[in-house]
Amino acid sequence: MCPSAWSNGPSWSRRAAPPRRCPPRRRTPRVPPDSVSPPSAPPGPPPSAPSGPPPDSTPPGAVPDAVLFDMDGTLVDTEGLWWEATADVAASLGRTLGRADEPYVLGRTVEDTAAHLLTPPAPDAVEAVEAVAERLTESFADRIRQGVRVVPGAAELLRALTTEAIPTALVSASPRSIVELVLPSLDHSFAVVLAAEDTPRGKPHPDPYLEAARLLEADPRRCVAVEDSPTGIAAATAAGCKVLVVSPSTGLPDLHSMSLG
């Protein structure tokens, strides 16, 4: 409706004003429903991304916070000695070891291997496993006392890490009695030394590597784990470490291979 055409003066003097013409109403063209675009979203912050662990933003080539070493088969060539010890105990139990037994022997704790040798479990399973584990440890220790070979490149790498002040940890699946026998051969001061007894679960669970990182006050994702066996590789990977796979036959690489990139 147009505004009033009457003046606001007294009623007795009202005179008809000339009619005002309303401007023509602009008609909005009709748009077919299918061509109507949905309303745009109101301005504001973008929708948040799904929650989850923060991505690792470590730049390529970054120096690790720490280097975590397996022992048997990584720093010292003792896995052959462990296999011999296990084969002797298995033979006394009427078993012959083969390739199918490797995942249950190499990189495993003594208790895991003992339980495997007693498959199916004996009626007094706990006592039987403890007894076989003790025999395995003694048989292994007897061989280590005769001398162990340090893997080529291990001494040089450990010295380089010391020079660069990069902390190191020894993360072994062997009992502490075996670790103590081997340590003098390495001639290196590890910031942390973990043996099989130090975590509730051993490799392939991540517990040993997570515990080593915790004691070093390091982020596992910024640690390099050096491993040789599938069992150890699985443990370090599950802990979030960068894993460097080595072999006692080819030796350990130099310091440049320890980068996180």
Side-chain angles (χ1 to χ4, degrees), residues 83 97-103:
W83 183 266
L97 292 187
R99 292 292 298 272
D101 298 293
E102 288 184 4

Side-chain angles (χ1 to χ4, degrees), residues 109-182:
T109 65
V110 173
E111 289 76 15
D112 286 344
T113 300
H116 173 66
L117 295 182
L118 291 171
T119 305
D124 53 343
V126 175
E127 293 81 1
V129 167
E130 290 177 352
V132 172
E134 186 175 344
R135 292 176 57 192
L136 286 168
T137 301
E138 263 314 306
S139 182
F140 191 27
D142 287 344
R143 288 166 169 79
I144 289 176
R145 291 188 187 99
Q146 298 173 24
V148 296
R149 182 180 77 95
V150 176
V151 171
E156 293 81 0
L157 177 56
L158 292 172
R159 280 197 297 268
L161 291 167
T162 299
T163 301
E164 296 297 323
I166 298 176
T168 56
L170 188 65
V171 186
S172 179
S174 289
R176 184 158 293 275
S177 61
I178 298 295
V179 172
E180 296 297 336
L181 284 175
V182 171

Side-chain angles (χ1 to χ4, degrees), residues 14-129:
R14 285 180 182 169
R15 294 168 48 185
R20 297 178 62 183
R21 295 183 178 276
C22 297
R25 299 180 65 182
R26 185 172 297 172
R27 304 181 66 86
T28 305
R30 298 189 62 186
V31 181
D34 292 342
S35 64
V36 177
S37 301
S40 58
S48 59
S51 61
D56 185 9
S57 57
T58 303
V63 176
D65 289 353
V67 179
L68 318 177
F69 289 94
D70 172 52
M71 187 179 78
D72 298 298
T74 298
L75 293 174
V76 287
D77 192 8
T78 51
E79 283 204 335
L81 302 180
W82 170 239
W83 183 266
E84 291 174 5
T86 305
D88 281 354
V89 174
S92 70
L93 297 172
R95 294 193 56 167
T96 302
L97 292 187
R99 292 292 298 272
D101 298 293
E102 288 184 4
Y104 306 96
V105 175
L106 301 180
R108 293 278 188 165
T109 65
V110 173
E111 289 76 15
D112 286 344
T113 300
H116 173 66
L117 295 182
L118 291 171
T119 305
D124 53 343
V126 175
E127 293 81 1
V129 167

Side-chain angles (χ1 to χ4, degrees), residues 6-21:
W6 296 100
S7 68
N8 293 326
S11 60
W12 62 81
S13 62
R14 285 180 182 169
R15 294 168 48 185
R20 297 178 62 183
R21 295 183 178 276

